[in-house]
DNA sequence: ACAGATTTGGCAACCGGTTGACAAGCGCCG
DNA sequence: CGGCGCTTGTCAACCGGTTGCCAAATCTGT
C-alpha cells in the first residue's frame, strides 16, 4: 500500500499462495485446492505444492481466508468478570476444546453489566464464528437476538433462548441438604447472588425444594454482589435470620461470610455452618476449609465449546451432558447444629 | 457463494458499505472515507452517509478491513497456565487496556511448555497485531525471532530480546529481608520455581543479594513446579535446610508449603515462617494469612498492552513504569524466629 | 467574469485467499 | 479410430473494505 511495487517476493511478510504457485509452476487456485481439498489435485502436484509451501514457511492469511468463506475459526467467550475464580475452569476448558478443534478463543469481559455485555458482543460478534455466553446478564430476548445472528451457547443460563450448558445442581444440592439435616440443622438460609442471576435463582429453587421436602425451614437473604465483599456484608443479615447453616450463592461469598463471622467472634462451624458453590481455587485453603457443591466448570467450558462447534456444523455430536452432575464436597465449614 | 444471486439487500448478514452507498447515493469509496477520514468528505455528505449507516445498523467487517491494511485490531496474550491465579490480574489489566483502545484480546495457553508456546504463537501470530508473552518458557532467541515479525512485549522476562514489563522486585525484597531479619531469622531458604523461569532466577538473585548484605545465610532449594503441589512436595527439603524462614517462588508454592507444614504438625509461623510472591487471590484467605511480596499484576497487564500499542505506533507514550514497584504485605505467616 | 487553487467524489486496483465454470488431457471402450 | 467420461488445472469473479490518482465541482481573488 504505502510502499508501491516491491510487493512480491523477498518481503518480510508471510508468503502467499501466489509465491507458492510461482515456485511450483502452477496456478494460485491450484495451490488453494491442493492445500484444502485433498484429492482434488493429483498426488504429484500436491506433493510439489506442499514442498514449496514448506520451503516458504507458508501460513494462510486467516483474514484473506475469512473474507470469502465468512468463517474466521475464532470463538468468543464472554464473561461477567475475568477475575472471578469461578471462570478459570471455564476458560481453561473452553480454550482447550477450541484449540483442539483448531479454533482460537477470544475472551471478552462484560464487567457484570448487561449494557457492557451487549456492547461487547456487538463489537466482537462480526469477527467470530460463535459465542459462548457465560454468566450472562442479558435478558432472554437479547440473547435470542444474538443467537439469531450467530451460533450461541450459554453457560449456566437456562431457558429456550439458546443452547445451554449447565451443571445439574440437583444431585449436589440433594446431598447437601441431606448432609445438613443429618447434622441436625433445622433452619437454613440461602445467601442469594445478584437479582438477575439465573444461576442464583436456580440454586435457590432447588435448595428450597430439597429443604421443604425434608421439612426444613429455609429463608432467602436479599440479593448480594457475588464477591467476597458481598458475602461479608451480608453477615449481619445471616445472623438475624436465625439459621444455623448458611448456603451462599457461591464460594466467594461463602469465604467472605466465613471471614466476617470469625471477625465477629463466631466459630465456624461450631456456631454457624457455611456452605458455598463451585469449589473454586482457595476453597480448600481457607480455614475452615469450605464445604461446597462442586461443579466441574472445566468440563462445562469444554462442553460449551463442543456444543457450539456442533451448532456450527463443525462438531461431532454434542457430548453427553450427564457428566456435568454436581457433587457435594464436605470439608470443615459444616458441623453439627449448635444445641440451643 | 453457495447461494447465488440474492446477495444484496434483505440478507440476514450485515450491511456493507455498498448498501450504504446505494442508500446515500454515493460511491462506496466515499462511504469508506466519510466513516474513517473525518474531514475528507463534505459535512453534508458525511451526515447523509452516517444516517444511512445507522439506519442499516452498519458495522464494518473486520476481516475485510484487515485485508488491505494488514491490521486486525487484535492482540494476543500468551500465558503458561490460565488457571494460575497469578495471571488473573494480568488478564484483567490487559483486557481492560485493550478494550479501552478498541482492541480485542485473544488468550492463548501454552501449558507450561516451550514447544506448545512456540506452536501457539505460530498459530495466532498471523491474526493479531501484537503479542504479549507472559510467563514465557521460550529461549531468548526464539522470542527475538517472533519479535522480528510482530511487535512483542514480554512480562516478567528481562533481557534484550524484546520490550519488557516487569515489576521491580527490589523494594519488596528489601523490605522482606528487613522484616525477616528484624524477626530474628538468620538462615533463609528460597524455594525456587521452574529452572527455566526468568522470574525465579531474578527473585533468587535479588533475595540472595539482600540477604548477604545483611549477613544472613541463604540457600536455594532445587527447582520445583510453581504450583500448590510443588510447594508441598518440597516441604521435607525445606526442613532439612535448617532455615527458619522459607521464601517461596510464588504464593501457590507458599500455600502448598503451609499446608504440608501444618499437616506435619509444625506451627506456622511459630516453628517456621513462610513467605510468598504475588499476593494472589487466596493469600489473605489461607490460615495463617500469607505474608507476601505483592506486585500489581493488573497494572502490569495494562502496562504491557499500553507498551505494545506504543510499539505499534498506536500508543501514546509507554507509561511510566515506576508504579510497578513491589511491596511487602505482612500478614500472619511470618513471626519471630524460634529460639533454639 | 475568468484563471487558478482547493474541495469533493468517483474509478479502479488491490489485499489474499476460495470456488464455480470450463477446457484441456487422458484412458477406455466399442 | 472416434466418441465418452473422468481427472486435473486454469480462468475469473468474488468476499468487503481501503486508497492513489484523477476529474468535476466549488471557491478564491481580482
Amino acid at each position: 500500500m504505502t510502499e508501491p511495487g516491491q510487493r512480491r517476493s523477498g518481503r518480510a511478510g508471510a508468503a502467499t499462495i501466489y509465491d507458492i504457485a510461482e515456485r511450483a509452476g502452477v496456478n494460485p487456485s491450484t495451490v488453494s485446492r491442493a492445500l484444502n481439498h485433498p484429492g482434488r489435485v493429483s498426488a504429484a502436484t500436491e506433493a510439489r505444492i506442499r514442498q514449496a509451501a514448506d520451503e516458504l514457511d507458508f501460513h494462510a492469511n486467516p483474514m484473506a481466508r475469512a473474507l470469502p468463506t465468512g468463517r474466521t475459526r475464532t470463538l468468543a467467550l464472554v464473561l461477567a468478570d475475568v477475575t472471578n475464580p469461578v471462570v478459570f475452569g471455564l476458560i481453561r476448558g473452553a480454550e482447550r476444546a477450541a484449540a483442539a478443534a483448531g479454533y482460537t478463543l477470544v475472551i471478552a469481559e462484560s464487567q457484570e453489566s448487561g449494557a457492557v455485555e451487549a456492547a461487547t458482543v456487538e463489537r466482537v460478534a462480526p469477527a467470530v464464528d460463535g459465542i459462548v455466553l457465560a454468566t450472562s446478564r442479558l435478558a432472554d430476548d437479547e440473547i435470542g437476538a444474538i443467537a439469531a445472528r450467530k451460533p450461541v451457547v450459554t453457560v449456566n443460563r437456562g431457558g429456550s433462548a439458546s443452547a445451554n450448558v449447565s451443571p445439574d445442581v440437583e444431585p449436589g444440592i440433594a446431598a447437601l441438604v441431606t448432609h445438613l439435616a443429618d447434622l441436625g440443622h433445622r433452619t437454613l438460609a440461602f445467601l442469594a447472588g445478584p437479582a438477575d442471576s439465573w444461576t442464583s435463582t436456580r440454586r435457590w429453587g432447588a435448595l428450597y425444594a430439597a429443604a421443604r421436602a425434608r421439612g426444613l425451614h429455609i429463608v432467602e437473604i436479599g440479593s448480594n454482589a457475588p464477591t467476597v465483599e458481598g458475602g461479608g456484608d451480608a453477615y449481619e443479615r445471616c445472623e438475624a435470620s436465625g439459621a444455623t447453616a448458611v448456603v451462599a450463592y457461591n464460594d466467594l461469598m461463602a469465604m467472605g461470610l466465613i471471614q466476617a463471622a470469625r471477625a465477629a467472634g463466631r466459630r465456624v462451624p461450631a456456631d454457624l455452618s457455611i456452605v458455598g458453590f463451585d469449589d473454586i481455587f482457595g476453597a480448600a485453603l481457607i480455614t475452615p476449609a469450605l464445604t461446597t457443591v462442586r461443579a466441574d466448570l472445566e468440563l462445562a467450558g469444554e462442553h460449551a465449546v463442543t456444543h457450539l462447534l456442533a451448532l456450527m456444523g463443525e462438531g461431532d455430536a454434542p457430548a453427553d451432558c450427564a457428566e456435568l452432575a454436581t457433587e457435594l464436597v464436605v470439608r470443615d465449614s459444616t458441623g453439627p447444629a449448635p444445641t440451643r
Side-chain angles (χ1 to χ4, degrees), chain A residues 201-221:
Chain A
T201 307
R202 184 146 177 249
R203 288 175 181 172
W204 162 245
L207 192 60
Y208 181 84
R212 294 314 310 236
R214 285 196 157 257
L216 304 184
H217 294 286
I218 181 160
V219 297
E220 183 179 21
I221 298 181

Side-chain angles (χ1 to χ4, degrees), chain A residues 94-163:
Chain A
E95 216 281 331
R96 185 157 297 170
Y103 276 72
T104 300
L105 191 69
V106 341
I107 306 271
E109 193 177 19
S110 67
Q111 296 160 37
E112 305 272 4
S113 142
V116 176
E117 183 171 345
T120 301
V121 169
E122 196 73 13
R123 186 168 58 81
V124 154
V128 302
D129 293 345
I131 303 175
V132 176
L133 251 30
T135 58
S136 178
R137 291 277 179 279
L138 259 26
D140 277 354
D141 57 340
E142 293 178 294
I143 295 182
I146 298 169
R149 291 192 297 151
K150 289 273 178 184
V152 169
V153 170
T154 50
V155 176
N156 261 333
R157 172 62 181 253
S160 52
S162 66

Side-chain angles (χ1 to χ4, degrees), chain A residues 43-313:
Chain A
T45 329
E46 179 171 338
R48 200 148 35 91
I49 288 175
R50 286 202 183 280
Q51 192 191 337
D54 280 354
E55 288 170 10
L56 262 38
D57 188 32
F58 171 76
H59 291 276
N61 180 325
M63 278 85 66
R65 171 172 286 175
L67 199 42
T69 60
R71 299 176 55 256
T72 59
R73 300 198 73 79
T74 296
L75 266 23
L77 175 62
V78 182
L79 302 159
D81 174 7
V82 206
T83 63
N84 184 330
V86 178
V87 306
F88 301 157
L90 233 33
I91 296 181
R92 159 166 274 184
E95 216 281 331
R96 185 157 297 170
Y103 276 72
T104 300
L105 191 69
V106 341
I107 306 271
E109 193 177 19
S110 67
Q111 296 160 37
E112 305 272 4
S113 142
V116 176
E117 183 171 345
T120 301
V121 169
E122 196 73 13
R123 186 168 58 81
V124 154
V128 302
D129 293 345
I131 303 175
V132 176
L133 251 30
T135 58
S136 178
R137 291 277 179 279
L138 259 26
D140 277 354
D141 57 340
E142 293 178 294
I143 295 182
I146 298 169
R149 291 192 297 151
K150 289 273 178 184
V152 169
V153 170
T154 50
V155 176
N156 261 333
R157 172 62 181 253
S160 52
S162 66
N164 179 42
V165 170
S166 308
D168 175 15
V169 293
E170 311 287 349
I173 285 183
L176 169 62
V177 171
T178 301
H179 170 67
L180 292 176
D182 288 351
L183 288 170
H185 295 277
R186 304 262 66 95
T187 304
L188 315 181
F190 177 70
L191 193 52
D196 53 1
S197 162
W198 184 84
T199 310
S200 182
T201 307
R202 184 146 177 249
R203 288 175 181 172
W204 162 245
L207 192 60
Y208 181 84
R212 294 314 310 236
R214 285 196 157 257
L216 304 184
H217 294 286
I218 181 160
V219 297
E220 183 179 21
I221 298 181
S223 65
N224 307 276
T227 59
V228 174
E229 292 71 35
D233 292 348
Y235 168 67
E236 293 294 346
R237 283 178 287 147
C238 289
E239 286 293 1
S241 76
T244 56
V246 178
V247 180
Y249 159 64
N250 69 13
D251 285 348
L252 249 23
M253 295 177 68
M255 289 171 174
L257 195 54
I258 287 179
Q259 289 189 311
R262 298 183 85 198
R266 306 276 287 177
R267 293 164 303 159
V268 179
D271 298 324
L272 185 69
S273 286
I274 295 178
V275 182
F277 269 93
D278 299 333
D279 194 21
I280 63 173
F281 171 82
L285 261 25
I286 195 171
T287 303
L290 190 61
T291 294
T292 187
V293 176
R294 168 194 294 159
D296 190 338
L297 273 334
E298 190 168 328
L299 196 56
E302 224 176 289
H303 275 198
V305 166
T306 309
H307 209 97
L308 187 57
L309 290 172
L311 235 51
M312 294 160 38

